[in-house]
Amino acid sequence: MNEFVERLVDLRWPDHVRPSYDVVIIGGGGHGLATAYYLATRHGITNVAVIEKGYIGSGNSGRNTTIIRANYGIPEAVRFYQHSLEMYGQLEQETGRDLMHATKGLLWIAHSEAGVRQERARAEINTAFGSRTEYVDVKTISEICPQLDMTGQGVWPIYGASYHPAGASARHDRVVWAYAEGAMRLGVHVHQRTTVTGFLRDGDRVTGVQTTAGPIGGGLVVSAVGGHVTTLASMVGLRLPIRTHQLQAFVTNRYAQAFGPIVASSGLGVYVSQTAKGEMLVGAEVDRAPAYAYDSGHSFLRSCAFRSIALLPFLRDLRVLRQWTGVCDMSTDYSPVMGFTGVPNLLVTTGWGTWGFKAIPAGGEQMAALIATGRTPPLIAPFALERFANDRTMADRGSAGTH
Amino acid sequence: MRALERMLFTRVVATPAAIDRAVWPTGALVLRIAQDEVLAAGTVDLGAVPDQHAIVEPETAFCGAWVDHKSGIQFLEHACDWELPAERPAFAQGAVAGIPVKVWFEAERILFLVPVPFVIDFAERWS
Amino acid sequence: MTVRRLRIQCPHCGVRAIEEFLHGEIPTIPERVVDPDARDLDRAFMHTNAEGLVTERWFHAMGCRRWLTLTRDTRTNDIPERTTSYPPS
Amino acid sequence: MANGSLLTHLLRGEKYPAGGGCLCLAGDCPHCLATVDGIAYVRTCQTPYHEGVSVEPHPESGRLPPPVSLGDRAPVPARSIHCDVVVIGQGPAGRGAADEARDAGQHVVTLESRLGQDAIGIYPGPLVVARTNSGMWHLYPREGIVVATGASEIQPVVPGNDLRGLVTARAAAELTSTGIDLGRVIAVGTPPADVVATTVAGELVRFEPRSGDPRRVGAVVMRDAKGQEQRHECDTVSLGLGLTPRDALLRMARGTNIRGVGDVLLAPDLPPCPSTGVVCPCAGVTVDDLRSVHGRGFRELDLVKRATLAGTGPCQGAVCVPHIRSFLGAQGSDPPASFTARPVTRQLTLGEAAAGAHHAATPRTALDSQHRALGAQMERLGGWWRPWHYGDVDAEYTAVRNGASICDVSTLGKMQISGPDAVALLEHLYPVPIASLAPGRSRYVLLLDERGYVVDDGMVSRDSETRFTLTFTSGGARFAEAWVRDWAESLDCDVRIMNQTMSLGAINVTGPRARDLLALAGVDSPPAFLHHAVATVAGVSARIFRLSFTGEMSFELHHAADDSTDLWQRLLDLGAGLGVRPHGLEALMKLRLEMGHIIVGQDTDFDSTPRRLNHEWAVRLDKPSFVGRAAVVRTNKVSLDRQLCMLEAEGEAPAEGATIWAGDDYAGYVTSSGWSPALGRSVMLGWLRVQPGINAGSAGLPTMVTIDGRPAHRVTTRSFDPEGLRARA
């Protein structure tokens, strides 16, 4: 008997595959399932299939560090992620499921004058666009997180931080399941263990997908896959501004809840939080060379353990439990890509890189609105694929190389 | 380890063929740091390098320390993850305690060459 | 062993951890120029992002400070030893 | 284990570290975990006993407080070992494999967990990482890895499986051999070797506590072939329920030259489908929990794991996986052998994991100790330790504007290029003409990437027809050499390249009296603006570059790093009468800001085109080709969306990063900001968005804006020395 056994969700799988659906969504992760959920709940579109090659949430949705935050560096991103953060705050109520959502506050540590400038700037732009972030001094930092070594072992002294009180986390799997359950209850079909092997075409137009379960017609086809998105897109000759990188993390054994906030440090390149179970969760930036491998590296573990101890010395005597790796779809400008692709009837939601989990509610809601109305909602218009051709990239210092 | 001391080298960049044919001072320590680049102890005459476009410059950016073979190897086994050369003499370069270091192995002793900007960090990591 | 993962055989310096190197771009195969603007845009932003063998360049920053070229399998990070080559000159 | 394991020591004293449960003595189960010498979750069966060891049982909740008082613990050493073969496990199969390899003349390293050598993972490399009692071993096998980790024993899943007195068959044999009296032993399944035991047949139903000791087993209940329950009283139950290969390492390392020998290759035994009891002791998951989630649609092994958290605790599924597989098999599915194998297979502390790691070393210039001796606040900037200020920023600023000052700019990227194709290479690298640059002259350059974005800036100086000196910013220098060499090779240029960033020191002599200081240092005719020359300065051979970042007359003295301290001290001594003092970066930030000079990285963004930076003057599109040209041509066809602008405001300087508003509309943000003593107001660089129709000035950029609630205005020509006369003086 433990408090983490799922006792509310009831997943009702379809017993057959229809020859065609109004909308076919490729990828049964958070984004794909949330899109299906909002199509069904907000727009009454239920003749929808979600095609998942593994089990739901088996990709990056089940391999991330579950952090929810909106402290980005450009107005368009702050607005979008703030909306997502607020939706997360309502999601337990909306779905009636226990998502283990907890608001923790997020400290982003500066270890230099340049770091201070960056964190002050983050606080400024966040505040201007409705996401609360304030610059805090060392005394306040110590109060928020007394475990921090303010001297950084004499090597990385802490100068200040930005503090984002709304920073939160939720249990990743439960978010996936709540969306899957909600969508399926309204008639959406989720097909696990079904791999898309090609597209059905009528001239340029995409008319469905070829799968290991046979051809499935689709009025619209939406790619919501993660790291393998370019391989999928290449099946219709579509090239995307995406590279796939490994992102690694590890957890320790469980310890009593004693660590409140989420702590991140750009200078040390690590972020640390505690799961609801009590495990300490440590992550870092993506590996540099593009790769699809799920191997966990030793140099990551070694270096990340070392750097996190410099920040939080108590971690030294905790025991590492497990390492894992996800493969992330990183866009050229480190911002997501949502919307039309130029290939008729094919839409994409990608470029979620290492920050996709926090975007699931807003990403799904906005993609659903786009699909239902055929018009791109203003909140995601800046993230359209054509921004690269239009010289309107969304370079965001607040997102690059972080969680 | 003994204190790292500034060492005077001449640094030569020339075609690999010219480096192969160059006449180096007799008995001088000559480290081939790349196919087209050499670090030679002491002073080297431009004329000794048969490449009219060669760049030959005095190089004072390295500190060096000779240590006895045993303690050098002991340190390296803990400080670097690459395989040490088996033959002697031998030259190797790479990360040592996270710092780019050049190492010259002789039968009885080992020379560590550390870029001046990293000398303080290296000395701390040695101890 | 002829296959390494995340360790690179530098032809000048020997086998070293990948952390000693900087990753360079995956060279794009020259394509016939039809529309220079479109090709330039594609080169600048779009990626083949191959799931499989890629030929790429790595710079041995902690050693000889030269580029080398190798073939890596992005699915496994396997680097067959024989595929590593040093720049000519 | 020389002194025996900590667990056997505890059992002799009737102490059960984790309360109860079936002990395996093989490092697989969580029933011997304790906090040992301050480290939690230690497997006492794999830990040698030593005098004075402190053992604390884990609290029932399984949630331990994180350590608060750290005490002294020496850093864990790491050792790299290169060998031919690593053999993991020294049972009969492992010993055989090791002997075979040795006989073949191979250098073999063996690991045996009972000797305190825990292989925690096989990583890409290939690299075998082992936690040992003398530190971490990083093993790099050239030829291969042999996994001989054997098999673990299946644990019982029935009510009462958390009682004391339950042991696996192998554990029963081992405890007996160490002289521990197990009392009356009932053997279920395969009996233990060399142990006097009563073997009982049938289906295991439950364990019952002993009367008077509810935590200890008193009887085992079996169901016989007729369906009748049979109760067998005992002191100990030995459980030989089958084997499951301990193959996580083998599965983790797929694809490399790795093989298994011995029991690790066994097909896993499948226990009977459990009907009641705790399946996962780490997370407290029961058979009822499995039923419940399965009924809710969680039908795959991984989904069951995620829905119950079975298998996510310290034993990582070693106990529960066989039973969950059996359970799922009984429901009609065909489950995979196990979860994905992930490191670590044996646990280690973060302190152990970190063994051998170092912080990225931040380089110091040759003048580092001079700066510290002068009381400088040192900062990491552009990847170097640099003096931020020497205690009096205003005086440092004033020395530059009104007198003469020196600054350590040794961190600049410095490079020499020589060869027949030097001009051709540089023409391709830079967006300005190079061939027309005369020997002895210098030119400011932007570095563009192929997207047409500014990635760095610097100077090109021509030394002769075929030889050039290049400089880059401190932050850009790290990548400059790679960038230049990449292009030189791609274009097949016949050039020689020497990176001298760390070889040369550089001191900037700047201020209206800079020339006077140089004269005192023996330089009578220094080079004119944007010229350079070789000279002896205060006895030090140097190359003098005349340029300006501060806005004042400036001479950058490049010299052998070895001479830096002499040159620095002599300039200070010689300039004492001129009031020469060094300035740090904080003053420099202000000086250059008054001139509107950008700092790449601070004032630029990832997508800063020359046009957005208002630096189109530094790009000559009449050149047929250079890196980024096609992108600049393309982006110039699109309407401008924002531009880096100079701004001025009355009063104190707004914070860097402050948002800029045009009316109620967001207009951009401040990238650099400072109070200008020369102007008596604040000057800024900042991004302004084109605001069609709203307060629009030229090019759609707002003229009047609000920053920090105060009015500010955009200036198109800098207010301080707009003609640049001071630099050229």
Side-chain angles (χ1 to χ4, degrees):
Chain A
M1 185 72 179
N2 81 49
E3 67 212 273
F4 301 103
V5 175
E6 175 59 62
R7 300 192 188 282
L8 298 173
V9 165
D10 198 357
L11 301 168
R12 293 293 146 202
W13 305 101
D15 55 6
H16 68 288
V17 180
R18 285 179 209 144
S20 78
Y21 296 86
D22 293 341
V23 181
V24 170
I25 297 168
I26 309 167
H31 280 276
L33 292 165
T35 302
Y37 173 88
Y38 290 110
L39 278 172
T41 57
R42 301 294 194 269
H43 305 283
I45 299 173
T46 56
N47 186 23
V48 175
V50 178
I51 317 274
E52 167 55 48
K53 72 175 174 185
Y55 58 91
I56 56 170
S58 55
N60 293 341
S61 297
R63 296 169 186 272
N64 60 80
T65 50
T66 75
I67 291 165
I68 300 164
R69 63 180 178 90
N71 54 350
Y72 278 72
I74 53 176
E76 295 82 355
V78 176
R79 275 199 208 104
F80 175 80
Y81 287 102
Q82 177 65 24
H83 179 59
S84 204
L85 183 144
E86 288 167 10
M87 288 181 74
Y88 258 124
Q90 301 298 316
L91 198 55
E92 291 188 337
Q93 199 180 359
E94 167 162 351
T95 61
R97 297 295 170 252
D98 177 9
L99 308 178
M100 300 166 80
H101 181 275
T103 300
K104 300 177 158 184
L106 189 153
L107 275 173
W108 210 308
I109 309 280
H111 302 272
S112 66
E113 292 286 350
V116 166
R117 185 193 304 127
Q118 189 178 328
E119 297 315 317
R120 282 189 190 282
R122 189 194 301 277
E124 285 273 344
I125 191 84
N126 288 185
T127 307
F129 288 92
S131 175
R132 222 183 109 206
T133 302
E134 56 187 313
Y135 182 80
V136 289
D137 62 13
V138 289
K139 183 169 169 287
T140 312
I141 295 169
S142 290
E143 285 162 12
I144 295 169
C145 185
Q147 294 98 330
L148 281 167
D149 177 355
M150 301 307 286
T151 76
Q153 289 187 333
V155 182
W156 291 96
I158 293 174
Y159 280 42
S162 67
Y163 182 57
H164 183 49
S169 68
R171 174 131 179 95
H172 51 6
D173 290 329
R174 292 198 170 191
V175 172
V176 168
W177 301 335
Y179 279 124
E181 180 193 33
M184 286 197 282
R185 190 191 295 131
L186 291 174
V188 169
H189 278 191
V190 179
H191 300 296
Q192 297 191 118
R193 301 286 170 197
T194 307
T195 303
V196 170
T197 56
F199 285 89
L200 307 177
R201 308 285 296 270
D202 177 5
D204 282 350
R205 217 155 48 88
V206 166
T207 58
V209 290
Q210 191 62 251
T211 77
T212 48
I216 301 174
L220 279 177
V221 176
V222 183
S223 165
V225 307
H228 300 274
V229 65
T230 51
T231 305
L232 184 80
S234 71
M235 294 175 186
V236 282
L238 173 66
R239 282 164 65 80
L240 293 170
I242 300 291
R243 275 192 180 143
T244 299
H245 291 261
Q246 292 170 273
L247 181 73
Q248 306 194 40
F250 68 85
V251 289
T252 67
N253 282 317
R254 51 202 283 198
Y255 295 86
Q257 285 283 12
F259 190 83
I262 301 159
V263 174
S265 156
S266 301
L268 283 160
V270 290
Y271 46 96
V272 182
S273 62
Q274 190 171 36
T275 69
K277 275 195 288 175
E279 300 165 331
M280 295 303 296
L281 174 52
V282 183
E285 68 276 27
V286 294
D287 296 359
R288 293 165 304 164
Y292 293 86
Y294 285 93
D295 295 327
S296 291
H298 176 255
S299 65
F300 162 80
L301 174 65
R302 175 161 73 162
S303 155
C304 207
F306 182 77
R307 289 177 282 152
S308 55
I309 292 169
L311 207 57
L312 295 159
F314 79 92
L315 293 175
R316 185 192 68 184
D317 289 346
L318 303 193
R319 305 251 284 179
V320 180
L321 178 62
R322 181 173 69 251
Q323 274 185 268
W324 70 91
T325 300
V327 297
C328 303
D329 38 331
M330 304 280 291
S331 73
T332 309
D333 63 358
Y334 303 99
S335 286
V337 178
M338 284 178 271
F340 299 105
T341 60
V343 177
N345 293 357
L346 179 65
L347 287 83
V348 71
T349 174
T350 184
W352 291 111
T354 66
W355 39 85
F357 178 73
K358 63 184 71 61
I360 286 171
E365 177 203 54
Q366 298 288 306
M367 283 299 290
L370 188 159
I371 292 162
T373 65
R375 291 185 304 276
T376 305
L379 194 61
I380 60 168
F383 299 108
L385 178 59
E386 59 264 27
R387 70 178 184 268
F388 295 96
N390 295 344
D391 190 31
R392 293 291 185 268
T393 55
M394 289 280 120
D396 185 353
R397 292 179 200 214
S399 75
T402 58
H403 48 290
Chain B
M1 85 184 296
R2 275 175 35 201
L4 287 146
E5 287 168 6
R6 285 260 195 188
M7 293 183 69
L8 174 68
F9 288 94
T10 303
R11 193 154 149 225
V12 178
V13 174
T15 62
I19 300 241
D20 289 342
R21 293 203 310 273
V23 181
W24 308 105
T26 322
L29 183 61
V30 178
L31 307 176
R32 185 88 176 242
I33 59 179
Q35 302 287 82
D36 59 354
E37 187 164 5
V38 150
L39 211 50
T43 324
V44 174
D45 176 13
L46 186 60
V49 185
D51 173 3
Q52 60 164 331
H53 296 288
I55 306 175
V56 179
E57 294 285 341
E59 179 60 82
T60 62
F62 287 95
C63 279
W66 289 99
V67 300
D68 70 86
H69 195 270
K70 192 180 158 203
S71 48
I73 294 292
Q74 206 169 18
F75 170 66
L76 286 169
E77 274 180 353
H78 288 94
C80 68
D81 58 13
W82 37 272
E83 186 163 14
L84 306 180
E87 66 277 15
R88 296 289 180 271
F91 171 66
Q93 58 189 349
V96 177
I99 287 166
V101 170
K102 301 184 191 304
V103 193
W104 174 249
F105 298 85
E106 290 183 0
E108 302 290 323
R109 56 182 193 160
I110 296 174
L111 173 66
F112 287 85
L113 284 179
V114 182
V116 168
F118 296 116
V119 161
I120 291 176
D121 289 292
F122 186 79
E124 277 173 15
R125 292 171 192 192
W126 180 281
S127 57
Chain C
M1 253 175 247
T2 54
V3 169
R4 292 195 169 79
R5 289 181 177 177
L6 306 187
R7 283 174 84 74
I8 292 177
Q9 166 112 42
C10 170
H12 189 76
C13 305
V15 178
R16 293 293 184 274
I18 213 157
E19 286 73 25
E20 291 200 9
F21 299 80
L22 300 177
H23 180 253
E25 292 292 295
I26 296 165
T28 44
I29 296 151
E31 296 155 36
R32 195 163 59 92
V33 176
V34 181
D35 174 351
D37 283 359
R39 184 182 156 224
D40 174 61
L41 182 73
D42 188 83
R43 272 179 57 101
F45 294 106
M46 304 302 161
H47 305 297
T48 302
N49 197 29
E51 237 179 295
L53 291 175
V54 292
T55 299
E56 62 189 359
R57 313 237 302 149
W58 290 82
F59 184 75
H60 192 190
M62 297 283 254
C64 59
R65 300 191 65 81
R66 296 296 184 276
W67 287 99
L68 54 85
T69 303
L70 55 76
T71 301
R72 180 173 61 97
D73 190 330
T74 59
R75 292 166 300 189
T76 56
N77 280 319
D78 283 353
I79 303 169
E81 199 170 81
R82 62 190 151 69
T83 63
T84 305
S85 66
Y86 213 47
S89 86
Chain D
M1 241 165 246
N3 293 328
S5 73
L6 183 52
L7 178 61
T8 49
H9 178 82
L10 292 169
L11 290 176
R12 279 197 186 91
E14 284 287 309
K15 293 197 181 80
Y16 287 79
C22 177
L23 294 167
C24 72
L25 269 65
D28 298 313
C29 76
H31 302 306
C32 73
L33 292 174
T35 296
V36 177
D37 290 334
I39 307 281
Y41 297 101
V42 171
R43 282 198 169 84
T44 54
C45 75
Q46 303 286 297
T47 306
Y49 170 76
H50 67 88
E51 204 63 47
V53 63
S54 105
V55 181
E56 292 163 46
H58 288 184
E60 294 291 320
S61 73
R63 290 190 180 207
L64 311 176
V68 276
S69 140
L70 282 169
D72 288 330
R73 225 188 273 286
V76 178
R79 208 177 136 205
S80 297
I81 301 169
H82 296 262
C83 59
D84 293 320
V85 178
V86 174
V87 180
I88 305 167
Q90 285 295 284
R95 281 201 305 274
D99 289 346
E100 202 178 297
R102 280 194 202 96
D103 290 346
Q106 292 183 317
H107 174 199
V108 180
V109 174
T110 60
L111 297 173
E112 170 52 49
S113 58
R114 285 167 179 256
L115 301 176
Q117 300 158 341
D118 281 329
I120 64 128
I122 296 176
Y123 288 96
L127 161 64
V128 180
V129 177
R131 196 209 68 84
T132 79
N133 297 326
S134 60
M136 298 299 293
W137 290 356
H138 300 149
L139 305 168
Y140 296 93
R142 285 178 287 259
E143 297 297 328
I145 299 165
V146 179
V147 176
T149 42
S152 57
E153 295 176 271
I154 291 173
Q155 296 250 332
V157 176
V158 290
N161 61 355
D162 59 341
L163 293 171
R164 297 171 180 176
L166 309 180
V167 289
T168 65
R170 289 177 182 170
E174 183 172 335
L175 289 174
T176 303
S177 74
T178 60
I180 292 179
D181 181 7
L182 301 178
R184 285 172 302 165
V185 179
I186 294 287
V188 176
T190 309
D194 304 322
V195 177
V196 178
T198 308
T199 302
V200 295
E203 184 193 335
L204 183 62
V205 178
R206 65 183 173 272
F207 302 107
E208 290 183 352
R210 171 179 306 200
S211 58
D213 186 353
R215 311 225 34 192
R216 198 177 164 93
V217 71
V220 54
V221 177
M222 306 293 290
R223 183 175 292 119
D224 65 19
K226 294 177 202 143
Q228 300 295 310
E229 287 191 358
Q230 305 290 341
R231 188 169 181 279
H232 307 278
E233 294 210 347
C234 58
D235 299 310
T236 299
V237 184
S238 159
L239 295 138
L241 302 179
L243 297 176
T244 188
R246 210 180 272 131
D247 60 357
L249 287 169
L250 203 54
R251 290 186 290 122
M252 192 181 295
R254 68 196 178 282
T256 56
N257 191 0
I258 174 168
R259 68 192 171 98
V261 294
D263 284 356
V264 74
L265 298 174
L266 287 176
D269 288 329
L270 206 57
C273 176
S275 55
T276 179
V278 172
V279 171
C280 167
C282 300
V285 178
T286 63
V287 181
D288 283 344
D289 291 332
L290 297 186
R291 263 190 216 106
S292 161
V293 299
H294 192 270
R296 294 174 177 279
F298 296 89
R299 293 178 192 155
E300 306 218 0
L301 183 63
D302 278 286
L303 281 175
V304 168
K305 167 185 173 178
R306 288 171 180 272
T308 59
L309 297 189
T312 64
C315 85
Q316 288 290 290
V319 171
C320 66
V321 164
H323 300 283
I324 301 176
R325 288 185 65 229
S326 177
F327 171 83
L328 290 175
Q331 320 300 317
S333 47
D334 183 20
S338 188
F339 308 132
T340 310
R342 294 164 170 162
V344 295
T345 55
R346 294 289 165 116
Q347 291 163 34
L348 71 172
T349 64
L350 266 69
E352 288 169 328
H358 299 279
H359 288 297
T362 303
R364 302 157 202 263
T365 74
L367 295 170
D368 191 75
S369 53
Q370 272 64 30
H371 301 317
R372 290 175 200 268
L374 288 165
Q377 180 192 329
M378 300 300 285
E379 276 291 319
R380 284 186 182 88
L381 279 162
W384 289 76
W385 282 113
R386 306 191 70 184
W388 183 239
H389 60 68
Y390 298 87
D392 190 342
V393 179
D394 291 344
E396 293 166 35
Y397 168 91
T398 307
V400 178
R401 280 277 178 262
N402 298 341
S405 175
I406 58 175
C407 183
D408 179 9
V409 292
S410 302
T411 57
L412 289 170
K414 300 173 282 287
M415 190 182 296
Q416 290 198 44
I417 303 237
S418 143
D421 293 339
V423 170
L425 173 63
L426 298 182
E427 285 285 13
H428 192 80
L429 288 182
Y430 293 121
V432 289
I434 300 297
S436 61
L437 185 69
R441 298 294 304 264
S442 304
R443 187 162 284 164
Y444 172 80
V445 286
L446 292 177
L447 279 70
L448 305 180
D449 65 13
E450 286 176 283
R451 295 170 186 150
Y453 298 157
V454 174
V455 291
D456 201 8
D457 63 357
M459 302 294 293
V460 174
S461 300
R462 190 168 199 166
D463 305 321
S464 72
E465 278 306 306
T466 57
R467 192 152 166 162
F468 293 82
T469 299
L470 315 182
T471 61
F472 307 88
T473 64
S474 311
R478 277 174 64 206
F479 303 102
E481 183 186 6
W483 186 73
V484 172
R485 288 191 189 280
D486 189 24
W487 280 109
E489 283 176 27
S490 300
L491 301 169
D492 201 17
C493 289
D494 185 7
V495 290
R496 324 285 173 265
I497 298 164
M498 184 186 280
N499 178 3
Q500 294 190 290
T501 301
M502 293 198 178
S503 314
L504 300 180
I507 295 171
N508 190 32
V509 178
T510 182
R513 303 203 64 184
R515 193 181 279 120
D516 300 337
L517 177 56
L518 282 195
L520 290 169
V523 182
D524 294 327
S525 50
F529 190 62
L530 292 182
H531 285 65
H532 57 96
V534 173
T536 300
V537 185
V540 169
S541 175
R543 191 144 29 155
I544 308 176
F545 296 85
R546 173 84 192 271
L547 39 86
S548 182
F549 190 52
T550 62
E552 302 298 333
M553 177 202 303
S554 301
F555 302 94
E556 211 168 87
L557 312 177
H558 292 205
H559 54 277
D562 204 20
D563 293 327
S564 274
T565 50
D566 286 348
L567 181 57
W568 178 264
Q569 197 53 52
R570 284 173 201 165
L571 289 171
L572 285 178
D573 294 344
L574 291 166
L578 295 172
V580 169
R581 60 189 301 158
H583 64 278
L585 292 202
E586 193 173 353
L588 182 60
M589 293 289 140
K590 186 172 291 196
L591 291 156
R592 64 90 199 181
L593 185 55
E594 289 177 332
M595 307 309 297
H597 292 321
I598 62 166
I599 292 181
V600 174
Q602 178 170 335
D603 299 305
T604 64
D605 218 324
F606 295 152
D607 60 353
S608 296
T609 56
R611 183 174 59 152
R612 286 197 177 112
L613 292 177
N614 216 349
H615 271 54
E616 285 181 285
W617 55 270
V619 176
R620 289 278 293 275
L621 290 174
D622 52 352
K623 278 182 64 171
S625 73
F626 54 83
V627 179
R629 185 182 183 280
V632 170
V633 169
R634 173 169 49 78
T635 55
N636 278 354
K637 291 178 190 165
V638 180
S639 66
L640 184 67
D641 60 338
R642 63 186 189 276
Q643 197 160 43
L644 189 71
C645 299
M646 267 198 99
L647 299 146
E648 293 182 0
E650 299 305 321
E652 67 181 81
E656 290 174 343
T659 48
I660 307 175
W661 299 86
D664 292 333
D665 293 317
Y666 175 75
Y669 67 97
V670 174
T671 59
S672 295
S673 171
W675 167 257
S676 166
L679 299 175
R681 55 185 178 270
S682 295
V683 287
M684 288 157 273
L685 283 168
W687 287 104
L688 288 183
R689 293 188 170 191
V690 170
Q691 310 267 327
I694 301 166
N695 192 21
S698 62
L701 295 167
T703 307
M704 294 302 300
V705 293
T706 309
I707 304 172
D708 275 356
R710 289 182 287 144
H713 66 280
R714 179 170 61 90
V715 293
T716 47
T717 311
R718 67 168 181 261
S719 303
F720 182 73
D721 188 21
E723 307 291 318
L725 300 175
R726 299 170 74 97
R728 292 180 170 80

